[in-house]
Amino acid sequence: MSRTPRTGVAPVPEQPPGPDAGPGPAAPSTVTPGAGTPGAGTPGAGTLARSAARAAGRLLTPPTVGLGDVVPAPASVRPRPAADFVLAADAAVRVSADPAAREVADHLAELLRPATGYPLPVADLPPTPGPLQLTLSTAAPRGPVATVPGDAEGYRLDVAPDAVRITAGTATGLFHGVQTLRQLLPVAVESRTPVAQHWVVPGGTIVDRPRLPYRGAMLDVARHFFTVEDVYRVIDHLARYKLNHLHLHLTDDQGWRIAVDSWPRLATVGGRTAVGGGPGGWYTAADYRRIVGYAARRHVTVVPEVDLPGHTNAALVAYPELAPDKVPPPPYTGTEVGFSYVDPTDERTYDFVADVLGEVAALTPGPWLHIGGDEAYKVKGAAYTGFVERAQRIVAGLGRTVVGWHQIAPAGQVDGRVLQWWGTDGDDPTVAEAVRRGARVILSPGNHAYLDMKYAPDTPIGHDWAGLIDVHRAYHWDPATHLTGVPAEAVLGVEAPLWTESVTSLAEIEFLFFPRLPALAEVAWSAPSTRSWTGFRERLAGHGPRWRAAGIAFHPSPEIPWPAAPTGRHLPDAATGEHREPARDQRAPGRDATTSDHRQSLAARTAASITQSDRFRP
């Protein structure tokens, strides 16, 4: 890849350091032949040898990645081609003496150890700085978009011949800097086994911060259930591209996926089913805490959704007293919507809502509780708005901020309320009016951000009701101007939902995520001045080899100039794990398939379209 900034990445102009500048890029090391003894202010023999080895490595192995090849595009980039860094086998990670920062340093070492084979010990910064430095600092790093106190996610990355330095005001900023460093290392850094090569990082400085505070993706675990380990993998994908929220759609007609102690049959009865008659499942409280903890260590906030008052068939199967007619409906394994609802006139319903939201809030340290609110077609007018307003007050009473799909807009406002907009027409007067009353908006436009939409007519899984979403469509929109009458300051962020009516495996999640998830991450993170389609598609192309090395399935979109894939590789069958020749002209069964082998047959049909490496781990 090019060693110059890509199109649309603003370079950082040279400027003198100020008194609060923070650490700038170090000058290239120089030594004087025959200088004095160690400890007398001159380098010893070991230091000289290491310096010579690094210099030789830089000359023999130039970087394979450019400083501007990062996704999402950094706010500013200043390359220094003569300042490349080579990671040595005896390198150590030094970090500010802070538990949260130490956790980020441990994460960096864990990322690098498998491929490098280096021990990479982690220790506090004093007294020796070390070649990999992570520094918490309230001083603003110099640069036109410098991070400032209170900028919780910004960072500065300086690469010089003697060290890589990441500086930030928070551990979250350090973590984002680590993800940038990961992308600047050779592709082989994604290998899970040692690779013999020089680990070169291109020299220069990146100063970066996000455009929007909320950047996320949604995983529907209700239509098809996914294991804790699958969710871990999704969290890793979000963290890689600096997305900071995972919205879990935990409940729907087809399945209830979280245990609630006060209403135990929600999981044990309501969690047994899935679309197509496939296996159900649910998370225990311990499972859910593991997910939340794993996400927190990667600076991702979990946003739980309990969809109300509609999308509740699984709950009504478990507790028919919540149904309007008090009669248990049959379990539902299809994909239609809008037919189920809890009784908005019964006080028992609000006991249920308070108990469930209370228990979910107790398990979730983040600020958000998502109450759904969409497609409740049989609860109309005042009955609907009255229900939403009571649910909002319950959320507020728990000390949380309510999030709901944009259909809740007509209900009364509560402080901080967030509407998640999923329309396809940017003119929505009802939402604009709710914003004028104080609501904020998360944008998930169905025709740009819905990852369950097909890439093209022949994509074997997914839908097309919102249109086909190729990478260009995912990338080519602006959150600040997308909704008429909604000012940029009311846009909290962007979220990419993945509904799973036709998605049954981790491989299929990844196939629909990649390469569109990085496009949406750049929409949310990068300032408009740093974005261009031409630059993005070139930068994104370099990530295909990284995904292969990491065993990540992806769609080889023809819009992207991917490097040539390795030859002689065969796709593992998603159902059996056995390698086979790619099949042709296979399609997934229709969305209303209900056979018990639905999951296996759909996975097998989809495998033919999934690009993955021999190391792919389902």
Side-chain angles (χ1 to χ4, degrees):
M1 305 298 290
S2 167
R3 298 195 54 219
T4 59
R6 291 296 189 191
T7 302
V9 178
V12 182
E14 294 283 354
Q15 53 184 291
D20 297 322
S29 299
T30 58
V31 295
T32 303
T37 60
T42 57
T47 301
L48 290 172
R50 286 190 293 271
S51 179
R54 284 195 294 268
R58 287 192 296 273
L59 291 172
L60 293 173
T61 313
T64 57
V65 182
L67 197 70
D69 288 337
V70 177
V71 176
S76 54
V77 176
R78 184 179 68 215
R80 294 180 64 208
D84 300 337
F85 169 82
V86 180
L87 182 67
D90 62 351
V93 182
R94 296 290 186 259
V95 62
S96 295
D98 176 273
R102 177 61 179 257
E103 193 169 73
V104 176
D106 288 336
H107 178 76
L108 172 60
E110 290 166 5
L111 285 176
L112 300 184
R113 284 172 184 144
T116 65
Y118 299 166
L120 293 170
V122 178
D124 292 345
L125 267 168
T128 56
L132 295 174
Q133 301 173 27
L134 278 64
T135 304
L136 284 177
S137 174
T138 56
R142 56 191 170 90
V145 289
T147 57
V148 295
D151 183 354
E153 296 189 272
Y155 66 92
R156 177 185 178 111
L157 185 147
D158 291 300
V159 182
D162 65 328
V164 173
R165 301 175 179 89
I166 301 173
T167 308
T170 66
T172 299
L174 291 179
F175 186 86
H176 293 325
V178 164
Q179 300 310 311
T180 293
L181 174 59
R182 180 184 193 177
Q183 293 187 27
L184 294 176
L185 283 157
V187 166
V189 76
E190 302 295 341
S191 172
R192 306 313 299 168
T193 56
V195 178
Q197 72 168 75
H198 289 286
W199 301 100
V200 186
V201 182
T205 297
I206 289 174
V207 180
D208 205 6
R209 60 156 40 132
R211 179 187 187 187
L212 296 172
Y214 187 109
R215 307 175 307 281
M218 187 209 80
L219 179 63
D220 170 13
V221 297
R223 270 52 177 269
H224 282 104
F225 180 69
F226 295 91
T227 67
V228 170
E229 289 71 24
D230 289 341
V231 178
Y232 285 174
R233 178 88 160 177
V234 169
I235 291 167
D236 287 337
H237 296 332
L238 270 59
R240 181 185 290 264
Y241 292 104
K242 302 183 179 76
L243 296 167
N244 62 354
H245 288 83
L246 173 64
H247 170 184
L248 288 176
H249 184 76
L250 292 166
T251 70
D252 215 299
D253 294 314
Q254 298 84 356
W256 186 282
R257 306 304 183 202
I258 187 165
V260 178
D261 288 344
S262 54
W263 298 75
R265 294 201 305 275
L266 288 171
T268 59
V269 176
R272 291 177 182 172
T273 48
V275 165
W282 63 89
Y283 306 119
T284 66
D287 291 334
Y288 184 76
R289 288 192 189 96
R290 287 166 57 205
I291 290 170
V292 168
Y294 189 92
R297 290 190 293 276
R298 284 145 185 83
H299 298 266
V300 172
T301 299
V302 172
V303 181
E305 179 188 353
V306 177
D307 206 346
L308 298 163
H311 290 274
T312 51
N313 196 80
L316 304 182
V317 173
Y319 290 98
E321 64 263 37
L322 300 173
D325 58 6
K326 313 307 178 188
V327 175
Y332 185 67
T333 60
T335 59
E336 296 304 318
V337 299
F339 59 90
S340 65
Y341 63 102
V342 292
D343 186 354
T345 67
D346 191 334
E347 284 301 310
R348 183 64 169 155
T349 294
Y350 299 99
D351 294 338
F352 160 77
V353 173
D355 290 342
V356 169
L357 294 181
E359 289 195 32
V360 172
L363 294 171
T364 311
W368 318 105
L369 272 182
H370 202 304
I371 61 170
D374 60 319
E375 298 171 328
Y377 299 140
K378 294 190 176 183
V379 186
K380 302 180 184 299
Y384 175 80
T385 55
F387 176 92
V388 170
E389 288 165 4
R390 288 193 65 169
Q392 290 181 155
R393 290 196 295 271
I394 289 170
V395 172
L398 294 168
R400 303 304 167 89
T401 298
V402 68
V403 186
W405 299 107
H406 70 263
Q407 284 93 336
I408 73 170
Q413 176 69 15
V414 294
D415 288 345
R417 183 172 68 144
V418 177
L419 309 180
Q420 185 168 0
W421 187 82
W422 57 272
T424 58
D425 180 351
D427 187 12
D428 191 328
T430 304
V431 169
E433 171 58 28
V435 168
R436 284 191 287 274
R437 289 186 280 131
R440 293 175 293 170
V441 177
I442 295 169
L443 292 176
S444 299
N447 54 345
H448 291 282
Y450 264 40
L451 296 179
D452 53 307
M453 294 299 113
K454 295 184 176 190
Y455 293 94
D458 61 348
T459 304
I461 54 175
H463 311 303
D464 60 6
W465 63 262
L468 303 173
I469 302 181
D470 55 18
V471 185
H472 182 267
R473 180 171 285 276
Y475 188 79
H476 195 66
W477 64 288
D478 184 1
T481 59
H482 192 74
L483 264 182
T484 302
V486 174
E489 57 269 23
V491 177
L492 181 64
V494 170
E495 184 178 288
L498 178 62
W499 303 98
T500 62
E501 292 97 333
S502 67
V503 179
T504 65
S505 68
L506 177 61
E508 291 164 2
I509 291 173
E510 292 178 340
F511 174 76
L512 293 171
F513 264 25
F514 295 104
R516 295 180 295 192
L517 187 71
L520 290 157
E522 183 151 309
V523 168
W525 177 278
S526 303
S529 61
T530 69
R531 290 178 53 207
S532 79
W533 169 245
T534 300
F536 174 73
R537 66 191 291 269
E538 292 177 355
R539 285 181 285 114
L540 185 64
H543 288 244
R546 293 182 180 273
W547 300 334
R548 290 191 185 96
I552 298 172
F554 69 98
H555 169 60
S557 169
E559 305 161 89
I560 308 302
W562 308 106
T567 59
R569 298 206 169 178
H570 302 265
L571 299 176
D573 187 290
T576 67
E578 297 177 356
H579 287 262
R580 57 177 174 78
E581 292 290 346
R584 295 186 179 182
D585 297 324
Q586 292 183 327
R587 299 291 182 269
R591 60 179 289 170
D592 291 323
T594 58
T595 59
S596 62
D597 63 349
H598 167 72
R599 189 179 186 111
Q600 180 174 348
S601 64
L602 182 54
R605 285 168 168 80
T606 307
S609 295
I610 296 178
T611 297
Q612 50 198 342
S613 79
D614 285 338
R615 284 191 298 275
F616 174 70
R617 295 166 294 153

